[in-house]
């Protein structure tokens, strides 16, 4: 067919060590100038399939049968040097690790320039630089000449993803394969990247294969969607048809699992919220001094500023915002890993800042912090038993029988088998590791669990399982949760009240229903309009989704801190003629005074 630029026929990939078939009789077509979404959970085979499209299959994996045709070329029959000519020139591949994509020792612009000159030796260096600067403009870099000379470490996650898109578009490829490129980004930046890809696809007429585990995200961009499970394509249809009338049970279930942010009611806490405050946070601030390149010179970063809130016992409290908004500093202050410069925090009516070592140890037993990275947060060289029992031993438990019983109890509580406790964690999946991490926190029977992006690196199915586990545990262990996250869909599902942070401050705080249906601050609307959901989003992204990222926290704008990104700033907002303090606008609903009735 003339309009097909890439076709895969009956592809099979086998692990030659185990004889396991990883890609099983897969056939699909990519149409010219169209976007094909490839959806699957972790382990479904989508990345192996994507890499095989450029014959990037390494032993023990082997393509055991099938054909891949690109524009008349049989990819699997091409020699290595012929493939190398195609990849980068006609087919570009963007992986899901933006950090490793550029050499850290060279400016990004210089690296893209080298690539362009290698692909088009007929153009001069000056012409090549002009082409790159123009492409920088297409991806909406604010200051193209400055960006050209910057090193990879100077780029934020969103900027780096744009630079990689420039790198892959610079040779004007016919096909772009984008593997999970929005997974690690904040919702606002991910929404910007999706909008950008749509614009670029039209401008450059590139055909795109967009791979993700999130159906909501893919449905925003793809003309067709192919669903993968266990190495097979389950269903492959036009996006609107697939969403309206899924044929296969797997797709029906998958659609059912995609959270409907506005249609579905949140699940919230499984216990009655009590009247006493388990945590009180009063006007806390934290400033870091960061040294600059010049000797004896440093700049101040206001990581947390004048933050106050209270959390009731058994309430699920959410804190949301983009990367760099101060959420992680706040989580360290709440868990008493650091002390605020100003203000105080009370846990069970007792101030936790300024406690002596023994008191700190005693209080820490009662509240635990669970971090995001399931690989970094548990050591690989210790047995699972030792990892889970360690907090008990640190807190003075010596009786081996008690330790054994407690480890068995928590391991089974988190849905793992006690038999695994003798092994090292290296063979565990991300979800299983996070369960070990939860078991380690539970063994001290905490009253408060602070979950700092704990579910962010897990796929949708695993997230749903762990949320169910958290609910069960809340009942059995009488736990209060603080969910700190950039995932607004997850927070909507489980939190009773939610605080929105921007540049170190809380700018809005409200009950779940109020925040998602009747928020007041333009920044909250920006966050909400970016959620990739399948139900109707009441916040129009045309109106609220802005370009750019939060400013450098060492250089916060005067006046309203949101003024550099706000779609509706007035001169007063920019000149500092506005009151930046939370005021109550209705029962339980607090907003920055200057941002009431903005936009
Ligand atoms: S005060 Fe001004 S800049 Fe801040 S949110 Fe309102 S309109 Fe935007």
């Amino acid at each position: 067919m003339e309009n097909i630029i890439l076709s895969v026929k009956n592809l099979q990939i086998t692990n030659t060590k185990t004889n396991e078939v990883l890609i099983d009789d897969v056939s699909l077509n990519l149409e010219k100038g169209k976007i094909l979404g490839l959806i699957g959970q972790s382990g479904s085979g989508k990345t192996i399939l994507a890499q095989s499209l450029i014959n990037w299959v390494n032993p023990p994996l082997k393509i055991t049968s099938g054909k891949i045709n690109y524009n008349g070329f049989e990819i699997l029959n091409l020699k290595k040097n012929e493939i190398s000519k195609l990849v980068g020139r006609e087919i570009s591949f963007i992986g899901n690790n933006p950090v490793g994509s550029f050499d850290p020792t060279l400016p990004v612009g210089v690296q893209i320039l080298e690539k362009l000159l290698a692909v088009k030796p007929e153009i001069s260096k000056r012409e090549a630089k002009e082409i790159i600067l123009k492409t920088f403009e297409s991806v909406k870099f604010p200051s193209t000449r400055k960006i050209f000379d910057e090193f990879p470490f100077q780029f934020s996650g969103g900027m780096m993803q744009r630079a990689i898109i420039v790198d892959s578009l610079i040779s004007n490829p016919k096909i772009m394969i984008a593997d999970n490129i929005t997974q690690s980004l904040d919702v606002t930046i991910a929404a910007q990247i999706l909008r950008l890809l749509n614009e670029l696809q039209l401008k450059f007429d590139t055909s795109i294969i967009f791979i993700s585990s999130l159906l909501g995200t893919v449905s925003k961009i793809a003309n067709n969607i192919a669903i993968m499970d266990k190495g097979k394509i389950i269903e492959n249809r036009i996006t609107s048809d697939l969403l309206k009338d899924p044929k296969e049970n797997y797709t029906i279930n998958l659609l059912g699992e995609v959270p409907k942010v506005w249609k579905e009611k949140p699940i919230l806490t499984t216990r009655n919220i009590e009247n006493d405050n388990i945590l009180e946070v009063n006007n806390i601030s934290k400033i870091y001094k960061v040294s600059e390149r010049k000797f004896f010179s440093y700049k101040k970063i206001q990581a947390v500023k004048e933050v106050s809130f209270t959390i009731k016992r058994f309430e699920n409290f959410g804190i949301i915002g983009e990367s760099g908004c101060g959420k992680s500093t706040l989580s360290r202050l709440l868990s008493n890993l650091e002390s605020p410069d100003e203000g105080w925090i009370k846990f069970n009516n007792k101030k936790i800042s300024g406690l002596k070592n023994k008191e700190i140890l005693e209080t820490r037993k009662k509240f635990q912090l669970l971090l995001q990275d399931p690989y970094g947060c548990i050591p690989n060289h210790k047995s699972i038993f030792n990892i889970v029992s360690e907090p008990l031993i640190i807190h003075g438990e010596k009786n081996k029988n008690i330790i054994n019983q407690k480890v068995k109890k928590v391991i089974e509580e988190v849905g793992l088998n006690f038999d695994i406790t003798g092994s090292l964690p290296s063979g565990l999946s991300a979800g299983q590791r996070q369960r070990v991490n939860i078991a380690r926190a539970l063994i001290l029977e905490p009253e408060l669990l602070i979950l700092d992006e704990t579910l962010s690196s897990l796929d949708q199915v695993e997230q749903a399982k762990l949320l169910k586990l958290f609910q069960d545990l809340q009942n059995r262990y009488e736990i209060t949760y603080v969910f700190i996250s950039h995932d607004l869909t997850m927070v909507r599902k489980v939190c009773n009240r939610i605080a929105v942070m921007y540049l170190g401050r809380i700018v809005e705080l409200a009950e779940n229903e109020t925040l998602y249906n009747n928020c007041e601050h333009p920044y909250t609307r920006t966050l909400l309009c970016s959620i990739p959901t399948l139900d109707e989003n009441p916040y129009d992204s045309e109106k609220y989704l802005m370009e750019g990222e939060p400013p450098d926290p060492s250089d916060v704008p005067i006046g309203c801190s949101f003024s550099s990104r706000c779609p509706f700033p007035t001169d007063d907002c920019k000149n500092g003629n506005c009151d930046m303090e939370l005021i109550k606008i209705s029962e339980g609903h607090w907003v920055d005074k200057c941002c009431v009735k903005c936009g």
Side-chain angles (χ1 to χ4, degrees):
M1 284 188 282
E2 260 186 13
N3 62 336
I4 304 295
I5 189 158
L6 182 90
S7 92
V8 178
K9 280 213 172 82
N10 309 109
L11 189 74
Q12 179 167 306
I13 301 178
T14 308
N15 182 332
T16 51
K17 256 191 181 168
T18 59
N19 280 334
E20 190 187 354
V21 175
L22 301 173
I23 298 296
D24 191 1
D25 198 22
V26 163
S27 298
L28 49 83
N29 291 325
L30 174 64
E31 288 179 43
K32 279 185 188 156
K34 292 281 163 72
I35 302 180
L36 170 68
L38 189 58
I39 286 276
Q41 301 303 323
S42 335
S44 61
K46 56 190 190 306
T47 295
I48 297 175
L49 174 61
Q51 292 177 346
S52 72
L53 301 178
I54 48 173
N55 206 356
W56 180 12
V57 176
N58 294 318
L61 305 195
K62 192 178 170 196
I63 297 177
T64 32
S65 61
K67 285 181 175 178
I68 300 170
N69 187 292
Y70 158 70
N71 236 359
F73 295 102
E74 283 301 332
I75 293 272
L76 302 182
N77 295 342
L78 294 180
K79 297 199 179 92
K80 257 194 178 169
N81 62 332
E82 291 169 324
I83 285 276
S84 312
K85 271 188 196 160
L86 278 185
V87 177
R89 284 179 171 84
E90 300 199 25
I91 305 176
S92 68
F93 188 97
I94 313 180
N96 57 6
N97 176 16
V99 180
S101 301
F102 286 104
D103 179 344
T105 63
L106 281 174
V108 166
V110 172
Q111 297 186 52
I112 300 176
L113 185 89
E114 280 174 4
K115 176 178 174 181
L116 181 56
L117 288 174
V119 177
K120 292 189 176 169
E122 68 279 9
I123 60 173
S124 71
K125 234 181 180 181
R126 216 169 131 194
E127 285 169 320
K129 186 167 177 180
E130 281 312 308
I131 293 174
I132 293 167
L133 293 177
K134 274 213 173 109
T135 321
F136 276 177
E137 267 171 34
S138 313
V139 299
K140 302 190 174 76
F141 273 147
S143 164
T144 54
R145 286 186 189 274
K146 184 169 163 264
I147 294 273
F148 187 92
D149 292 319
E150 285 187 346
F151 288 83
F153 73 87
Q154 292 172 289
F155 283 61
S156 65
M159 296 268 280
M160 182 53 80
Q161 206 56 274
R162 281 163 203 263
I164 293 166
I165 290 173
V166 172
D167 186 55
S168 71
L169 282 178
I170 203 71
S171 55
N172 223 343
K174 303 247 178 347
I175 296 177
M176 178 197 278
I177 302 167
D179 184 8
N180 249 341
I181 61 170
T182 54
Q183 179 95 354
S184 57
L185 301 176
D186 285 317
V187 276
T188 48
I189 309 300
Q192 288 172 15
I193 295 286
L194 288 186
R195 184 160 76 180
L196 180 68
L197 277 183
N198 258 327
E199 289 168 13
L200 294 175
Q201 186 260 327
L202 290 176
K203 187 170 173 183
F204 293 90
D205 199 26
T206 311
S207 312
I208 299 177
I209 299 182
F210 187 87
I211 301 157
S212 173
S213 58
L214 302 172
L215 191 50
T217 302
V218 174
S219 67
K220 296 276 170 285
I221 187 170
N223 304 97
N224 285 60
I225 292 182
I227 309 272
M228 265 195 103
D229 181 43
K230 297 188 187 116
K232 283 181 187 278
I233 298 286
I234 304 289
E235 194 162 355
N236 183 355
R237 314 253 306 278
I238 292 172
T239 301
S240 53
D241 294 350
L242 183 120
L243 297 180
K244 236 186 275 153
D245 181 27
K247 299 282 182 223
E248 302 297 327
N249 281 342
Y250 183 85
T251 318
I252 295 169
N253 290 339
L254 192 71
L255 274 168
E257 275 163 14
V258 178
K260 317 287 180 302
V261 178
W262 281 275
K263 255 192 203 159
E264 281 172 1
K265 286 273 165 224
I267 319 164
L268 304 182
T269 176
T270 45
R271 295 189 69 96
N272 287 335
I273 297 174
E274 300 200 345
N275 268 335
D276 66 316
N277 291 328
I278 189 166
L279 198 77
E280 278 176 75
V281 177
N282 184 62
N283 214 21
I284 57 168
S285 295
K286 182 79 186 170
I287 291 179
Y288 294 111
K289 288 179 183 173
V290 181
S291 59
E292 293 190 288
R293 287 189 197 166
K294 294 172 238 156
F295 280 123
F296 305 119
S297 136
Y298 63 85
K299 57 184 179 182
K300 284 184 178 176
I301 292 181
Q302 178 89 53
V304 169
K305 190 176 178 192
E306 295 157 11
V307 165
S308 298
F309 57 86
T310 53
I311 301 179
K312 301 241 175 268
R313 194 173 300 278
F314 305 140
E315 174 177 37
N316 294 342
F317 189 80
I319 299 171
I320 58 174
E322 294 163 286
S323 312
C325 72
K327 303 188 300 282
S328 292
T329 304
L330 184 58
S331 85
R332 286 198 298 278
L333 297 174
L334 297 183
S335 3
N336 204 15
L337 294 175
E338 289 187 56
S339 297
D341 300 327
E342 285 169 27
W344 49 258
I345 300 168
K346 279 186 185 174
F347 172 70
N348 279 341
N349 277 325
K350 195 170 180 187
K351 277 192 188 167
I352 57 170
S353 16
L355 290 179
K356 303 266 177 314
N357 282 351
K358 208 175 155 203
E359 289 172 311
I360 290 179
L361 200 63
E362 203 44 44
T363 322
R364 278 225 185 106
K365 242 173 133 174
K366 297 289 166 210
F367 56 85
Q368 295 283 312
L369 172 67
L370 285 178
L371 294 170
Q372 171 182 12
D373 178 8
Y375 290 90
C377 62
I378 53 176
N380 271 329
H381 62 282
K382 288 187 180 175
S383 73
I384 294 168
F385 186 93
N386 285 347
I387 292 167
V388 176
S389 61
E390 191 176 37
L392 268 186
I393 295 164
I394 290 174
H395 283 272
E397 185 56 71
K398 293 194 177 87
N399 185 317
K400 281 194 176 159
N401 276 340
I402 293 180
I403 294 173
N404 240 325
Q405 278 168 17
K406 288 201 170 182
V407 171
K408 187 168 189 302
K409 183 172 177 232
V410 290
I411 277 287
E412 287 173 355
E413 291 271 25
V414 299
L416 295 173
N417 195 321
F418 186 64
D419 294 347
I420 67 160
T421 53
S423 337
L424 297 174
S426 44
L428 300 182
S429 68
Q432 287 170 322
R433 278 171 171 265
Q434 210 48 289
R435 283 170 195 263
V436 171
N437 199 17
I438 297 166
R440 178 172 59 175
L442 280 182
I443 203 153
L444 294 173
E445 300 182 8
E447 292 175 30
L448 181 74
L449 265 187
I450 299 166
L451 308 160
D452 187 358
E453 302 281 10
T454 308
L455 306 180
S456 302
S457 56
L458 305 178
D459 66 38
Q460 222 165 275
V461 174
E462 199 57 42
Q463 263 198 16
K465 284 184 196 159
L466 284 187
L467 280 179
K468 173 85 185 55
L469 174 67
F470 285 138
Q471 285 180 325
D472 294 346
L473 294 174
Q474 183 162 54
N475 246 336
R476 278 179 268 146
Y477 281 79
E478 306 197 330
I479 302 173
T480 303
Y481 292 118
V482 181
F483 288 89
I484 298 177
S485 180
H486 69 269
D487 182 347
L488 288 99
T489 307
M490 187 273 287
V491 167
R492 161 70 165 161
K493 246 197 223 165
V494 290
C495 291
N496 300 85
R497 283 187 309 138
I498 297 148
V500 181
M501 280 191 86
Y502 188 71
L503 285 177
R505 298 181 59 252
I506 289 182
V507 295
E508 185 157 12
L509 195 164
E511 299 271 347
N512 184 319
E513 275 306 320
T514 310
L515 194 93
Y516 279 78
N517 289 303
N518 216 359
C519 66
E520 190 67 30
H521 199 292
Y523 177 60
T524 312
R525 292 185 194 146
T526 296
L527 288 177
L528 294 177
C529 81
S530 316
I531 300 178
T533 175
L534 290 182
D535 55 349
E536 206 176 311
N537 189 327
Y539 300 99
D540 181 4
S541 60
E542 287 297 318
K543 188 170 174 189
Y544 294 111
L545 180 62
M546 71 273 156
E547 288 301 335
E549 297 174 30
D552 184 339
S554 66
D555 189 19
V556 176
I558 54 162
C560 174
S561 54
F562 189 52
S563 61
S564 61
R565 297 171 84 199
C566 178
F568 329 100
T570 62
D571 285 344
D572 276 351
C573 314
K574 291 181 193 164
N575 295 333
N577 301 327
C578 46
D579 279 336
M580 302 283 291
E581 61 168 318
L582 283 186
I583 56 158
K584 188 167 154 184
I585 57 167
S586 62
E587 198 46 46
H589 191 178
W590 298 75
V591 189
D592 250 347
K593 191 172 178 185
C594 63
C595 305
V596 179
K597 306 236 177 292
C598 291

